[in-house]
Amino acid sequence: NLFFPAAESLRYNEHLFGVSLFTLPWAIAGASPVLAYNVTWWLSWVLNGLASFALLRRFVRRATAAFIGSLVYVCSFYVMQHAHGHLHLVWTWPLPLSMLLLERWFDRPRWGRAALWALVVLLGALTSWYMAVMVLLVNGLMGLVVLCTAREHAEDGVSEAERWRARAMQLVAAVLVVAALVAPFARHYVGLRGAPGEASANAATLSGYVIPPENTLVGGWWKTHIDSRPGSIWGETTVFAGWTAVLLAVCGLVVGARVSMATPRRWIFPALVVAGVLISLGPTPALPGGSTFAPFYWLSGLPGFEGMRAPGRFALVAMLGVSGLTAGAVAWLMDRLRHGAVVVLLVPVMLAEWYVVGFPAGKPTPFPVPPIYQTAEVRSARALVSLPAYPASSPEWVFGANYLYYSMSHWRPIVNGFGRTEPPDYDRVLQLVERFPAQASALHAMGLQYVIVHADQYPNHGQAILAAARGSTGCRLVLQIGTDYLFELI
């Protein structure tokens, strides 16, 4: 309902349809959007843990090792820094679960298994455009690994020729169904482009994987004793992997080189690390060859991919690989140490490295919707706009998100918008809005019915704009609640 009067306005944000399927039951039951969001937010941690544990348990004998490895995927700082506002980057269980289902289906191709894999891929792809690309990436890598490590299964009485025919038919059917259901969503993102240089600005760096942010215990120690390189928690480039996890992953890679001779599918985890890190470095990485050998640069040239503006998010794929290597290292250590359970002591050390301290926004507090948005006039409005507007170029741009939050109490079309980008004509619309009430007739002609003025957010409590509006023939004051005013355009 944002960016009025633009058409297809949801394309300027992540559509989150896959997540909304899980908030829908709460909405049907009458729960508020805030409750539905919070329940789904908590559920994501449980599902992420179960899915990653199930995947890792497939490759390591010890459940404890799989559990410790799953914590890398569930609790890494990548997740911690997105957990405050990017639900679609926390709702990531389809990645490990789809990989597990693909591998199981490949060994025993059945229509039921193919359908279940397609369903999980579909839910992941419909979560967001970034998740769609990640699902495609991790399943492509897993498919390549299982294809290169295919083994015969003569014990079930099915010939390899029959098995390959079943795989081909089931895979084609699953892909066609998923593609048909994703296409109506994907087509809106074809042609969207980020601002010049945006992808490079939101790319990760190799040093970013090992330099902790200042809002961690180790980041604070680094700033005090080494240098000032630890940066803010905010931003797409904060991808700190954790020193303990990295050391375990390196150990897992070394010992896994021997173990993988017997279980070669374990090479999927180093492949995930390499692919995730390289793509997260963006279109112009500080590596030999620059953009020539940059996977993100190749991806951004494909239809539908050109609008991806935050390559740093692909660190999630790398952390999934690190989780597998960590599980392998822990299993190896537990097999060789006299008291293998001592490895569990690494867990609090690892989690402490990701633990957020001194969160800049403070503890969450109740944030009530102003009563003016809950009035009968607003609930039945044809369309409205709230002032002051906060365009993306404004230093206070983040406050523009408040108006989307307020609109959950009425769901009427609003001019105010907040997202990954803006409609092409949005600047012209904002210019008219910011000239209220002088352009009241033009706003009325555009289809707007009401203008809400938050006077306390203007200099001198909005005396100038209120006086002009009261004296205008293009609008009339309908009601006032505190320092909030509702004007109707006439």
Side-chain angles (χ1 to χ4, degrees), residues 114-462:
L116 185 58
W117 171 73
L119 176 62
V120 174
V121 169
L122 179 64
L123 290 174
L126 292 183
T127 295
S128 73
W129 189 231
Y130 282 91
M131 278 298 296
V133 177
M134 291 183 197
V135 166
L136 179 64
L137 174 64
V138 300
N139 281 273
L141 290 173
M142 177 59 89
L144 184 62
V145 168
V146 296
L147 192 63
C148 294
T149 58
R151 50 182 180 264
E152 295 186 1
H153 298 271
E155 68 278 2
D156 59 7
V158 178
S159 69
E160 280 304 298
E162 291 175 318
R163 199 185 309 277
W164 280 107
R165 279 195 297 269
R167 287 170 181 153
M169 288 190 297
Q170 294 168 20
L171 181 62
V172 169
V175 170
L176 288 177
V177 169
V178 171
L181 294 173
V182 171
F185 295 86
R187 67 182 180 86
H188 298 284
Y189 293 90
V190 176
L192 277 183
R193 295 184 179 275
E198 192 172 20
S200 296
N202 289 323
T205 61
L206 289 177
S207 61
Y209 280 95
V210 293
I211 297 179
E214 62 183 358
N215 295 105
T216 59
L217 296 171
V218 288
W221 173 88
W222 184 301
K223 261 198 160 180
T224 302
H225 297 90
I226 301 180
D227 54 42
S228 61
R229 278 185 293 173
S232 170
I233 181 179
W234 309 119
E236 303 286 356
T237 61
T238 309
V239 294
F240 177 54
W243 299 333
T244 304
V246 169
L247 288 174
L248 286 173
V250 172
C251 176
L253 180 62
V254 174
V255 301
R258 296 198 303 270
V259 177
S260 296
M261 297 299 291
T263 55
R265 289 182 181 177
R266 282 195 180 188
W267 287 110
I268 182 61
F269 297 113
L272 290 172
V273 173
V274 172
V277 169
L278 288 179
I279 297 176
S280 73
L281 298 181
T284 55
L287 295 174
S291 60
T292 305
F293 302 105
F296 186 87
Y297 180 78
W298 308 336
L299 280 175
S300 61
L302 300 176
F305 294 81
E306 62 268 60
M308 292 194 299
R309 61 189 183 91
R313 294 180 177 180
F314 284 87
L316 177 63
V317 175
M319 294 311 299
L320 182 55
V322 171
S323 70
L325 294 174
T326 298
V330 172
W332 183 83
L333 289 171
M334 294 184 73
D335 287 341
R336 281 152 181 79
L337 294 177
R338 177 175 300 180
H339 302 288
V342 74
V343 178
V344 177
L345 296 177
L346 292 173
V347 173
V349 177
M350 184 172 66
L351 294 179
E353 292 178 5
W354 298 320
Y355 187 69
V356 178
V357 296
F359 186 57
K363 292 185 68 174
T365 57
F367 194 69
V369 175
I372 201 164
Y373 289 96
Q374 304 175 37
T375 59
E377 290 83 357
V378 171
R379 288 180 182 272
S380 62
R382 185 169 61 251
L384 64 146
V385 64
S386 299
L387 295 177
Y390 297 102
S393 57
S394 167
E396 299 175 310
W397 59 271
V398 70
F399 292 111
N402 291 350
Y403 297 140
L404 275 66
Y405 174 69
Y406 299 158
S407 79
M408 293 192 301
S409 62
H410 58 76
W411 289 121
R412 306 311 302 151
I414 60 175
V415 171
N416 308 93
F418 184 89
R420 63 189 307 280
T421 186
E422 298 171 346
D425 202 36
Y426 192 59
D427 285 342
R428 182 190 66 83
V429 174
L430 281 186
Q431 288 174 9
L432 294 176
V433 166
E434 290 171 349
R435 293 170 64 186
F436 173 81
Q439 292 293 332
S441 59
L443 296 176
H444 181 270
M446 190 171 64
L448 284 178
Q449 184 178 3
Y450 292 112
V451 176
I452 295 178
V453 177
H454 296 281
D456 61 332
Q457 297 180 32
Y458 280 92
N460 299 320
H461 301 285

